[in-house]
Amino acid sequence: MPASPLRRFARREWGGLAARVRGALVTRRWRAIPLTLAAVALCATFQAVQNQSWGYQFVQDIGSVRSGDPLLLSLVRTPLSLFVPALDLPVWGALAQILLVFGIAEICLGRWKTLFLAYVATLSGTMYARLGVALGPGSPIGLPEADKHVMDTGPSAAVVGLALYVCRRVGAYWTGGAVVVAMVVEVIVKTNLAGKEHIAALLGVAVLMLIEAAVRRRRKHRGQPRHRGEGTAHDGRVEGTAPHDRAEGAPPHDRGEGAPPHDRGEGAPPIQS
């Protein structure tokens, strides 16, 4: 029985990704996603600590970022801010996002690239918030002054950035487009700081993808054969062979044995071996 169009679309869009993730989890189990499990544990720990009277200020001091804070302090806190759940959102949502998206990214990209991309996306949102407040509400991309006091934490910016990158890497273009559309709709429906930071995170990762594509094209161009053919000497020989190499017992080229090299017809083409 032929597959339905929906099934064919799902296989084309997610078939390779699902097979790769399933294979990694079956063969390596939890060892396939150690970064993801550590991130989930860290996020849950921060949630538990910041809800204690003795722990709230501690979490604020090491992982709370606001655009009104000094820049150096924000940069120092940004890596941990990724794992500090927002107080006004249910923590299970942050944990599910990390487990799903970080897990897929870690399997497809590796742990260090996953961590790097998560930081790039989070930092893009953080830097946009500072720029937006500086520009003010009069600018199309500006933010109101009150937003500089909003606590800017949580994994959502990293999640949307990783989702876009993974979709591009595995060829799930419709899914990547859906992520972008969803973030645009979020900004239109609810014009808050978080939604605009998600757009900034997508742009930051998109710029990184463009840079990577440019580097790949440059390397590919450098690796292309020369005009005369890669690995070919100017006289037509394969590079590395001696000028006099020929099949054993083959007759001499256009001149008699022992004749001087210049004894051949005037204007005759160079000898090709």
Side-chain angles (χ1 to χ4, degrees):
M1 180 178 180
S4 66
L6 183 60
R7 185 182 295 273
R8 289 198 302 270
F9 170 80
R11 186 181 298 117
R12 183 173 60 251
E13 187 79 358
W14 305 303
L17 175 63
R20 184 168 184 174
V21 171
R22 182 172 59 250
L25 293 177
V26 168
T27 57
R28 301 178 60 197
R29 300 184 183 276
W30 64 268
R31 293 188 301 277
I33 52 171
L35 170 65
T36 300
L37 297 178
V40 169
L42 185 60
C43 185
T45 300
F46 276 141
Q47 173 69 7
V49 172
Q50 73 178 353
N51 280 288
Q52 306 300 318
S53 58
W54 53 267
Y56 174 78
Q57 192 58 50
F58 170 73
V59 174
Q60 294 289 299
D61 290 341
I62 65 172
S64 176
V65 174
R66 296 178 177 84
S67 58
D69 294 337
L71 177 59
L72 181 59
L73 182 61
S74 293
L75 293 176
V76 171
R77 290 177 174 176
T78 295
L80 281 180
S81 73
L82 195 160
F83 305 106
V84 177
L87 290 171
D88 58 339
L89 296 174
V91 68
W92 61 263
L95 298 177
Q97 289 176 5
I98 294 175
L99 185 61
L100 178 63
V101 179
F102 272 64
I104 293 174
E106 186 174 2
I107 290 171
C108 295
L109 308 175
R111 71 190 66 167
W112 294 115
K113 189 160 190 176
T114 297
L115 196 59
F116 171 71
L117 288 169
Y119 181 71
V120 167
T122 302
L123 186 61
S124 298
T126 298
M127 297 308 294
Y128 160 72
R130 302 182 73 87
L131 175 63
V133 170
L135 292 174
S139 171
I141 61 171
L143 296 170
E145 184 74 11
D147 279 350
K148 73 178 184 179
H149 303 296
V150 175
M151 190 170 73
D152 178 20
T153 61
S156 57
V159 164
V160 297
L162 284 171
L164 179 65
Y165 192 97
V166 170
C167 287
R168 173 64 180 83
R169 173 62 65 88
V170 302
Y173 299 112
W174 285 98
T175 305
V179 171
V180 175
V181 170
M183 295 304 102
V184 172
V185 170
E186 179 189 16
V187 170
I188 295 174
V189 173
K190 189 177 181 181
T191 56
N192 59 2
L193 175 61
K196 293 179 179 180
E197 284 192 341
H198 294 164
I199 298 295
L202 290 175
L203 290 175
V205 172
V207 169
L208 187 63
M209 290 192 296
L210 290 174
I211 293 173
E212 287 185 345
V215 171
R216 283 196 299 269
R217 285 195 299 269
R218 185 179 181 89
R219 289 176 177 173
K220 183 178 179 181
H221 178 72
R222 286 181 175 180
Q224 286 178 348
R226 298 183 182 89
H227 180 68
R228 293 177 179 269
E230 186 177 11
T232 304
H234 292 296
D235 62 356
R237 293 179 288 105
V238 176
E239 192 172 9
T241 59
H244 58 276
D245 286 349
R246 61 176 179 265
E248 186 177 358
H253 294 292
D254 300 330
R255 60 179 185 272
E257 190 68 43
H262 57 274
D263 286 350
R264 58 175 177 263
E266 187 71 26
I271 296 174
Q272 301 293 327
S273 57

